Amino acid sequence: MSMPAVKTDAAPTTLPVASAPVVTMTPKRAPQSEKYIKMAKEAAVRVVPPLIVVALLLVVWELICRRAGSALPPPSRVFSDTKELIFDPFFDNGGIDKGLFWHLSASLQRVAYGYSLAAIAGIALGTLVGQSVWAMRGLDPLFQVLRTIPPLAWLPLSLAAFRDGQPSAIFVIFITSIWPIIINTAVGIRNIPQDYRNVAAVVQLNPLEFFAKIMIPAAAPYIFTGLRIGIGLSWLAIVAAEMLIGGVGIGFFIWDAWNSSHISEIILALFYVGIIGFVLDRLIAGLAKIVTRGTAES
């Protein structure tokens, strides 16, 4: 006897399938050697072209000045005449008989004093002129007239007022470098977006908070542009002023070398003046990049 077939509607059971493990691929790090090679290439792009230009200029200078009757010495003679000053810049025999380090140090100290005073006063006056319409109308014409006076034209007046070379030189640096700081700060303050001022009014910032949190950060690129121009003018002014006030300083060293007919020493001093001026400009530019987070021009 056969059993009847039983029909069921149940779906067939399926066994669970284990999911495949997910493998994450970590990016492959470049070897340290490749990193250093890249840095070396970037440095070479910046350094090699100036070195090539300088080498070509030295070759041309050597060829031109080696001819008979040349008024200027060639680079080879400059080095032979000044190698003692180059390799021993720290000697001090008393008086003005000092190495180039002491002359440059004295000049940099004067620049530091005068430029610091100009930066403080310039930013304060520039803020006043930029923020107040009445101050701009009253002071801006005066600033535009005074800034056209050459630096050395202030020296006789400062000597008459201070009766000493040191404060007179500092005053010449101050009065020379303050004008670009004032003008650029005023332009930066006037160009603060109105939205910033509206936000300050909404949160009810007092004048001191508005100056520290709104004015200075917003105008910082303009301020540092003025500071960079000012440091260059300061270094130019001190070299010129020291030729007249005497004493220890790179300007007086150049003038004394001229009176002694030591042309090679003058050329060496000018080389140091140019290098230090470049370094001072780079320092202010680097500080500007840090403070303004890269918004200031380098």
Side-chain angles (χ1 to χ4, degrees):
M1 183 175 175
S2 62
M3 296 295 292
V6 180
K7 185 178 181 181
T8 61
D9 295 333
T13 60
T14 59
L15 296 175
V17 180
S19 61
V22 179
V23 180
T24 58
M25 301 295 292
T26 57
K28 186 178 180 181
R29 293 185 177 180
Q32 288 292 106
S33 60
E34 294 184 5
K35 180 180 178 181
Y36 292 141
I37 291 173
K38 183 179 179 181
M39 293 174 60
K41 289 181 179 179
E42 292 177 354
V45 170
R46 294 178 176 270
V47 175
V48 172
L51 289 179
I52 294 175
V53 173
V54 171
L56 291 175
L57 290 176
L58 289 175
V59 170
V60 173
W61 178 11
E62 182 76 24
L63 294 176
I64 293 176
C65 294
R66 285 183 70 90
R67 296 182 304 175
S70 176
L72 297 177
S76 57
R77 182 180 165 191
V78 171
F79 176 77
S80 62
D81 290 345
T82 61
K83 60 183 179 181
E84 294 182 0
L85 290 172
I86 296 173
F87 294 114
D88 186 16
F90 302 102
F91 72 87
D92 186 356
N93 297 328
I96 61 174
D97 188 11
K98 302 178 184 292
L100 278 172
F101 172 82
W102 304 110
H103 289 283
L104 292 169
S105 177
S107 298
L108 286 172
Q109 288 179 14
R110 296 185 181 109
V111 168
Y113 291 137
Y115 179 73
S116 299
L117 294 174
I120 295 171
I123 293 174
L125 288 172
T127 302
L128 176 63
V129 172
Q131 186 69 9
S132 172
V133 176
W134 287 102
M136 181 185 67
R137 292 175 180 174
L139 295 176
D140 186 67
L142 179 63
F143 293 159
Q144 297 298 334
V145 171
L146 293 178
R147 73 182 185 89
T148 60
I149 299 176
L152 289 184
W154 293 100
L155 188 57
L157 186 63
S158 62
L159 286 172
F162 298 107
R163 299 183 182 277
D164 186 45
Q166 181 78 357
S168 299
I170 294 173
F171 174 78
V172 170
I173 296 167
F174 169 83
I175 204 68
T176 303
S177 59
I178 193 173
W179 310 120
I181 301 174
I182 292 175
I183 294 171
N184 282 275
T185 301
V187 172
I189 296 297
R190 286 199 294 265
N191 286 337
I192 294 177
Q194 186 60 39
D195 293 342
Y196 291 6
R197 301 180 185 274
N198 295 338
V199 170
V202 169
V203 299
Q204 298 181 350
L205 295 179
N206 60 47
L208 185 60
E209 292 174 335
F210 180 71
F211 174 78
K213 296 181 179 180
I214 302 295
M215 279 188 178
I216 296 300
Y222 294 90
I223 294 174
F224 276 100
T225 299
L227 290 174
R228 287 185 65 184
I229 298 173
I231 193 65
L233 293 177
S234 297
W235 191 235
L236 293 174
I238 189 57
V239 173
E242 287 175 344
M243 290 184 178
L244 300 180
I245 65 173
V248 179
I250 192 62
F252 176 75
F253 177 87
I254 294 173
W255 187 249
D256 185 60
W258 163 252
N259 290 329
S260 303
S261 300
H262 295 159
I263 305 301
S264 296
E265 294 183 2
I266 296 176
I267 295 174
L268 177 64
L270 292 179
F271 172 77
Y272 282 122
V273 168
I275 292 296
I276 291 179
F278 174 78
V279 171
L280 292 176
D281 179 78
R282 291 292 91 193
L283 287 175
I284 300 299
L287 181 61
K289 196 170 184 180
I290 295 172
V291 173
T292 64
R293 298 179 181 180
T295 58
E297 296 181 1
S298 57

